[in-house]
Amino acid sequence: MKYLTVPLALSVFAFSSLVGVSPTHAQAPSSTLPQQKQVLGYYQHSFGDYQITALLDGSNYLSQTLFKNLPAAEINQILKKYYIHHSHGIQTSVNAFLVNDGKGLTLVDSGTASCNGPHLGSVYSNLQTSGQKPEQVSTILLTHLHPDHVCGISNHGSANFPNATVYISQTELDFWMNPKSVEHLPQQKRAAFAATVDKIKKAIAPYQAKDQLKTFKSGDKIHGFHVISSAGHTPGHFGLSLKSQGQELIFIGDIVHSHSIQFDRPHTTVDFDIDPKKAVETRLKSFANYAKQGQTIAAPHLPFPGIGHIYSKEGKSYQWMPIHFKD
């Protein structure tokens, strides 16, 4: 199958030619330039026999207070080192990935739809802009059930991908659907837990109604994807491994949320890790493996398109090495 590769979104300023126009008629540039909107939030990457299309759902801003186990002064030092402006918060992408094997389409994670405000929710439209149709998606694999991963499968009670079977970790589903799970959380987090459960239920309901919701467990293989346990961020959090032509690509889910802070200081957790200690253990083990073995990584919260490699010189801190842009 021949694929059309489209470059990353670029804003282009169009300037009228001033050739032949006298200086008295040339307009002075505005002192305040209008904000230009980025377009075409998708990027296509060839991987063995597959085409991976990164789909941008939008950008989110995290307060640096959400990052734990690290003094504010040290966080600021890291952000400064990476030239990251954070007056509005630490920017993070929300990405999903469409996998085309020439026979069908698999969506890994789905973005937010209308769950998290107007600055997010573009996976559905960007998938169509990339040249695909929602009804062509036959499989949806969810790394976990936080709203920025599950909400995009539906919108206002209707399935966004009517012909797709949705796969969720049985452990993950049991955790969020069990009313007793909230009892193990601090009091200040229980309201947010209840709100998340409500969003999950609404997102999966159209698929449950048509028996298009299935579960998986560690070690399962789903249409060529190997399931990898990576618990910590949530109890049933899983990664997915895809192999082709001697290469391996790992969809890592939310084992990392910042390409600067958590690569520089991998022991740093985020406030929404359900089990912070386990989340750190998973990140350290995964980073060490991926830095040594050189797998290609696809990450929902690293800078769009979220595809690249993990590098470490001494095995204590790490660097995110994004793929080179290809047109």
Side-chain angles (χ1 to χ4, degrees):
M1 175 178 289
K2 184 177 181 181
Y3 299 118
L4 174 64
T5 302
V6 180
L8 278 169
L10 297 173
S11 292
V12 180
F13 290 103
F15 294 94
S16 298
S17 172
L18 296 180
V19 177
V21 179
S22 66
T24 57
H25 290 88
Q27 294 183 346
S30 170
S31 59
T32 56
L33 293 174
Q35 180 67 42
Q36 299 295 305
K37 186 176 181 180
Q38 303 285 10
V39 295
L40 300 180
Y42 66 95
Y43 180 79
Q44 295 176 336
H45 174 72
S46 294
F47 173 78
D49 297 323
Y50 298 89
Q51 180 195 52
I52 314 297
T53 302
L55 301 169
L56 178 65
D57 198 57
S59 296
N60 205 7
Y61 291 87
L62 303 178
S63 168
Q64 67 183 62
T65 61
L66 293 174
F67 292 88
K68 306 300 180 181
N69 313 323
L70 198 62
E74 196 166 345
I75 290 178
N76 290 330
Q77 187 177 32
I78 294 170
L79 295 175
K80 183 178 180 180
K81 180 173 71 172
Y82 287 97
Y83 296 94
I84 294 175
H85 302 285
H86 58 283
S87 57
H88 299 295
I90 300 168
Q91 184 173 330
T92 181
S93 293
V94 178
N95 310 317
F97 302 94
L98 188 69
V99 180
N100 188 341
D101 64 2
K103 300 176 183 177
L105 300 178
T106 296
L107 183 64
V108 179
D109 290 324
S110 67
T112 64
S114 57
C115 275
N116 290 69
H119 60 296
L120 296 169
S122 296
V123 162
Y124 185 75
S125 59
N126 282 330
L127 181 146
Q128 294 175 85
T129 305
S130 75
Q132 306 295 349
K133 297 179 180 179
E135 56 267 26
Q136 293 176 312
V137 177
S138 58
T139 303
I140 299 174
L141 304 175
L142 299 178
T143 58
H144 63 296
L145 290 179
H146 275 154
D148 54 332
H149 296 258
V150 64
C151 278
I153 66 176
S154 303
N155 206 16
H156 302 298
S158 297
N160 278 339
F161 307 96
N163 299 318
T165 298
V166 178
Y167 290 85
I168 299 168
S169 155
Q170 183 67 59
T171 304
E172 185 76 352
L173 193 63
D174 290 345
F175 172 74
W176 293 104
M177 296 299 107
N178 184 353
K180 294 185 178 181
S181 293
V182 71
E183 298 173 4
H184 302 285
L185 298 176
Q187 191 66 41
Q188 66 270 23
K189 291 189 175 184
R190 294 186 180 185
F193 179 89
T196 296
V197 169
D198 183 61
K199 290 178 179 179
I200 293 169
K201 288 181 176 179
K202 289 178 179 178
I204 66 178
Y207 298 88
Q208 285 179 310
K210 294 185 178 181
D211 196 28
Q212 293 172 223
L213 183 72
K214 298 186 181 300
T215 59
F216 61 77
K217 62 184 184 302
S218 183
D220 282 355
K221 186 175 181 180
I222 308 168
H223 302 307
F225 292 82
H226 291 265
V227 174
I228 307 169
S229 179
S230 50
H233 180 59
T234 64
H237 185 285
F238 277 80
L240 298 157
S241 168
L242 189 65
K243 296 181 179 180
S244 181
Q245 298 183 11
Q247 307 172 64
E248 184 176 17
L249 188 150
I250 309 288
F251 299 88
I252 63 172
D254 283 12
I255 67 170
V256 62
H257 288 79
S258 169
H259 74 289
S260 54
I261 296 172
Q262 290 181 299
F263 275 85
D264 210 276
R265 301 290 192 276
H267 286 84
T268 304
T269 62
V270 290
D271 186 65
F272 23 87
D273 285 335
I274 301 295
D275 185 340
K277 181 179 179 180
K278 183 66 174 177
V280 170
E281 291 174 358
T282 294
R283 180 163 46 258
L284 292 174
K285 180 180 178 180
S286 299
F287 275 17
N289 176 32
Y290 303 149
K292 182 179 180 180
Q293 302 297 330
Q295 297 96 325
T296 301
I297 303 301
H301 296 307
L302 297 184
F304 183 77
I307 302 174
H309 296 85
I310 295 175
Y311 169 79
S312 178
K313 183 177 180 179
E314 75 296 323
K316 294 181 180 179
S317 64
Y318 297 85
Q319 284 181 274
W320 173 241
M321 310 295 285
I323 54 169
H324 291 182
F325 170 81
K326 294 181 181 178
D327 59 14

